Amino acid sequence: MSAFKKLVDHSQKCSHFNHLAAICGWDQASMMPSGGNQARSEAMAQLSVHIHGMMTQPQLSDWINDAENESLNSEQQSTLREIKRNWQQANLLPEKLVQAKSLAGSKCEHAWRTQRGENDWVGFEKNWREVVELSREEAQIRADFAGLTPYDAMLDIYEPGTSSASLDTLFSDVKTWLPGLIDQVIDKQSTEQFTAPSGKYSTDKQKALGLEVMNLLQFDFNHGRLDESVHPFCGGVPSDVRITTRYDENEFVQSLMGIVHETGHARYEQGLPKHLSGLPSGEARSMGIHESQSLFFEMQIGRSDEFIGHLAELAGQQFSGNEFEKSNFQKIYTRVEKDFIRVDADELTYPAHVILRYEIERDLINGKIKHTDVPELWNLKMQQYLGLSTEGNFKNGCMQDIHWTDGAFGYFPSYTLGAMYAAQFMASMKNDLDVSSVIQSKDLTPIFNWLETNIWSKGSLLTTDELVKQATGETLNAQHFQDHLKNRYL
Amino acid sequence: MSAFKKLVDHSQKCSHFNHLAAICGWDQASMMPSGGNQARSEAMAQLSVHIHGMMTQPQLSDWINDAENESLNSEQQSTLREIKRNWQQANLLPEKLVQAKSLAGSKCEHAWRTQRGENDWVGFEKNWREVVELSREEAQIRADFAGLTPYDAMLDIYEPGTSSASLDTLFSDVKTWLPGLIDQVIDKQSTEQFTAPSGKYSTDKQKALGLEVMNLLQFDFNHGRLDESVHPFCGGVPSDVRITTRYDENEFVQSLMGIVHETGHARYEQGLPKHLSGLPSGEARSMGIHESQSLFFEMQIGRSDEFIGHLAELAGQQFSGNEFEKSNFQKIYTRVEKDFIRVDADELTYPAHVILRYEIERDLINGKIKHTDVPELWNLKMQQYLGLSTEGNFKNGCMQDIHWTDGAFGYFPSYTLGAMYAAQFMASMKNDLDVSSVIQSKDLTPIFNWLETNIWSKGSLLTTDELVKQATGETLNAQHFQDHLKNRYL
Ligand SMILES: [Zn+2]
Ligand SMILES: [Zn+2]
């Protein structure tokens, strides 16, 4: 058996265990009663150890070396590249560091769940110090290996191929026009009247509406489900994608558009190349590309004039009231406000939240600032970008996100990269298709065909730059994002 | 580290993987869309291989030998006994045979799903021949190891400690009184009038009713759930027990009592000794004892005069109609009829279905009859025990059950052993408690305390005979079952 074939078999074996982890993880978040948590966590930890053990088997190194000298076609070369990348990621860090970081992260995150509500920065800082230290240690090891700066080495986990040099360029451009645009739009919207949701919107009806919307978006229910969880997510495996939402009976806005968002993630997974199933080349390209698909659904399709009309119509079949008029829906879903919380932010202010975090975590991981500098920097940047003070307001400031509590530094930029890629894909799609008419027709097949051909079916065969260039004729160009925002909001 | 401690650690590791198998198996039956089946089956098969690999690690043999010479307290001795038993079971059969049987069984079962509906004995026989041959091979290996007859060696998988000699004695006694009793009861009920369910009983209301009944039976919803599946079962793990039912909107009878039955299984699991979690000594004693708990709930509690009253009252909160009168409920749930299908059989005729199967599978595995003799023997015994002919009627005769299709020979007796144990437990409990008043009071705690003390908390620390003797003062005595039936039905 060729070394490459051995690697393929090994990779497929690992993917079976990852499958079990995905389903049991979904269950833990959406089905499991809380009394089951301890035994489940132990079982999942054991599974992690087993998967890590498989990924660090000593013979893999030889197989990879041997496979690199075998004659492989271009698809196989991509598979080998991604197998090697995963193998490097799994073998790079000393197990002691992985365990120490996991422990410190769990401890910090667990305490944070209470500390955030209590605005307890002092308590949080004590745990977080260790998470930051261990993350810096991790980043340094990654940096030494890859010949990158520490932060760039962390970025590479989530967004292979992206550097802080390119992000600096992208984001400093955004900063030249975004704050002004936000003010302009808020001014424009200041006299706008709309009916806010008020009243009881039953979970059953919201769910029925969500399922209708998923049908419109051609979610494949033979290969997936919609359920509920406290924090909505897209999980499961490509042949069985599990998305979740959270219903609030006082409003329908979040859950409805949340379902559109997760359906975007789900269709990417459902559309991944089946002949590469179980191989890393058959997986989603990166966090940023994943988010580009959810945001393509949520922002590019979901907030389009035509789709808002369909949403209002479908909602009107479940509910009645002025709030379900199309023009009211439009106002609700394009409302811009300066606020503290990233996860509740609108499309326009969202990048400001991301840029702020990016600048802080970049300097923190590169050792340019101390973790105790973060609250002050947060306040400063929040004032600059959104005109809001977070002085003393830790819970709605630097303590609001889960990401940093367990050391996921380098993740935040993916959100805005996703929004930018989504805008670029739409601009390119519009050269091929009359997108408005397609959405208007309620049969969105041509749009999904475009995405399937250009993005989903490519898995990780191409690098991100290659993928985007093949799909749109150019690598990331943030002008499309700016044009999109001005076009929609001005 | 002592050898015993090594075995305990190993056992707990295995239990984590069994946990994942249980949850993913539950998901496959109750949540998974059908398009997810192939990848899931592959992942589950990989997990099976992994667990089998753990159970057959070469060092286990030494550890067991060493542990047998260590000084262990009586609980540890029980744990070691059960660890050794599991190890023997996993190591007894050549892997080639296990795989061949699994393959032949899957093939036969898969084809059977169509062949049964088509009454296609000829087609079924061709696949089944191989299953029977491989099962005989398995039974012979087990027999040689254990010094038992082939069939007794199969019985030992499900019901350790039980022999066909004792079953022959038990069942030949039942055969002396059961057919006559059935005729007597049918004659008595022949003039009885009752209102059969008719109409639409919505799934939502049936589910709400089921949850109420589970509350009455003190199912712990912090450690379990109720869901739906085509074939109801009790799965999951002791800290998170998943029971399922199937709703038919034309009637409520099956689902309602099915939930009572599965709740019995579930409370046994929920009541297993927590300090032995992850060890085989902390697991349920046997299939027969498991069924004794579900049948205790379904037959001993569930069909008692007082509980039927509660069921009728709770059902009356969801539905209205004459069929929900207590006296009507009583008639529905104690109706006796001679019929072909075991799974639909009432309490009184059920043992006849089991004895028939026992006698046939015993002789089949011991090589006294050929697999092609089965239809004729089935017809003969069905005529003797229930006065029904199954000549040419394979689908409602010997092709009705799934058990034999994949070679689960030796399982059927557990059903009737369970019914007998349940009657014996109730007889004994009545010496300690005024069971009728307790049920009438709607607070069944004293009953559950008795079961928890005497059965659930014992796990597999005792042998079945020891367990039953400690709980009731005697080993299995079928007189209690006969008394129970005569008392209820005459
Ligand atoms: Zn997303
Ligand atoms: Zn049962």
Side-chain angles (χ1 to χ4, degrees), chain B residues 261 265 291 294:
Chain B
H261 179 98
H265 282 304
E291 203 63 17
S294 54

Side-chain angles (χ1 to χ4, degrees), chain B residues 92-331:
Chain B
L92 204 48
L93 303 177
E95 218 166 309
K96 223 178 124 183
L97 174 61
V98 174
Q99 280 172 2
K101 191 185 167 193
S102 161
L103 211 69
S106 297
K107 187 181 161 197
C108 182
E109 183 194 317
H110 184 78
W112 165 78
R113 293 188 184 276
T114 323
Q115 288 163 343
R116 190 195 165 195
E118 295 165 350
N119 201 39
D120 178 12
W121 165 256
V122 177
F124 177 73
E125 180 270 317
K126 281 189 197 108
N127 292 322
W128 196 44
R129 175 198 305 268
E130 201 188 343
V131 176
V132 172
E133 270 166 21
L134 292 165
S135 298
R136 280 174 171 165
E137 210 177 308
E138 173 186 356
Q140 191 59 55
I141 293 170
R142 293 181 179 278
D144 292 344
F145 173 79
L148 298 170
T149 65
Y151 182 70
D152 279 19
M154 295 298 283
L155 262 185
D156 187 66
I157 303 172
Y158 308 103
E159 219 47 54
T162 292
S163 65
S164 47
S166 67
L167 290 178
D168 286 342
T169 309
L170 273 178
F171 290 167
S172 62
D173 175 63
V174 172
K175 280 159 69 177
T176 63
W177 52 264
L178 187 68
L181 180 60
I182 292 171
D183 285 335
Q184 231 181 320
V185 173
I186 288 177
D187 187 53
K188 180 181 165 229
Q189 292 183 349
S190 63
T191 55
E192 227 174 59
Q193 300 288 316
F194 70 97
T195 310
S198 77
K200 193 164 147 48
Y201 308 100
S202 85
T203 293
D204 282 354
K205 288 185 174 187
Q206 287 198 53
K207 184 173 180 183
L209 171 58
L211 293 171
E212 288 289 340
V213 172
M214 288 168 74
N215 273 321
L216 187 58
L217 294 168
Q218 300 184 18
F219 180 94
D220 180 355
F221 284 97
N222 192 36
H223 291 99
R225 297 176 48 97
L226 168 68
D227 294 281
E228 294 173 48
S229 69
V230 178
H231 303 285
F233 67 97
C234 171
V237 294
S239 63
D240 184 3
V241 179
R242 308 289 173 96
I243 69 170
T244 69
T245 191
R246 191 171 67 93
Y247 301 106
D248 174 352
E249 297 208 325
N250 296 310
E251 59 102 346
F252 55 85
V253 178
Q254 299 277 353
S255 164
L256 180 55
M257 202 52 92
I259 287 175
V260 173
H261 179 98
E262 300 305 336
T263 301
H265 282 304
R267 292 226 50 201
Y268 185 15
E269 290 286 318
Q270 290 179 335
L272 288 168
K274 285 166 194 54
H275 72 289
L276 298 174
S277 125
L279 300 179
S281 49
E283 291 173 8
R285 178 57 275 184
S286 72
M287 299 312 306
I289 297 297
H290 228 308
E291 203 63 17
S292 82
Q293 298 308 293
S294 54
L295 291 175
F296 192 95
F297 276 58
E298 181 187 348
M299 300 300 179
Q300 300 296 327
I301 301 177
R303 280 174 169 78
S304 69
D305 187 53
E306 299 79 12
F307 199 82
I308 287 280
H310 300 331
L311 282 185
E313 187 189 325
L314 289 171
Q317 289 167 10
Q318 302 290 340
F319 303 105
S320 59
N322 291 337
E323 64 268 43
F324 296 101
E325 302 279 322
K326 179 184 170 185
S327 63
N328 195 62
F329 251 56
Q330 224 148 9
K331 285 173 194 152

Side-chain angles (χ1 to χ4, degrees), chain A residues 13 16-17 19-20 23-24 26-27 30-36 39-40 42-44 46-47 50 221-225 239-240 242, chain B residues 13 16-17 19-20 23-24 26-27 30-36 39-40 42-44 46-47 50 221-225 239-240 242:
Chain A
K13 267 189 196 169
H16 292 321
F17 287 101
H19 176 139
L20 302 170
I23 296 300
C24 288
W26 165 85
D27 182 273
S30 70
M31 293 285 152
M32 188 189 73
S34 65
R40 178 68 55 85
E42 286 168 16
M44 299 280 282
Q46 180 81 50
L47 180 59
H50 178 65
F221 285 97
N222 190 38
H223 292 99
R225 296 175 49 96
S239 62
D240 185 3
R242 307 288 174 96
Chain B
K13 267 190 198 169
H16 292 320
F17 288 101
H19 177 139
L20 303 170
I23 295 301
C24 288
W26 165 84
D27 182 273
S30 70
M31 293 285 153
M32 187 189 75
S34 65
R40 178 67 55 83
E42 286 169 17
M44 300 280 282
Q46 180 83 49
L47 180 60
H50 178 65
F221 284 97
N222 192 36
H223 291 99
R225 297 176 48 97
S239 63
D240 184 3
R242 308 289 173 96

Side-chain angles (χ1 to χ4, degrees), chain B residues 463-481:
Chain B
T463 65
T464 306
D465 271 359
E466 288 167 353
L467 177 79
V468 175
K469 192 158 185 189
Q470 283 195 16
T472 68
E474 55 182 345
T475 55
L476 180 59
N477 175 356
Q479 188 62 45
H480 300 293
F481 183 54

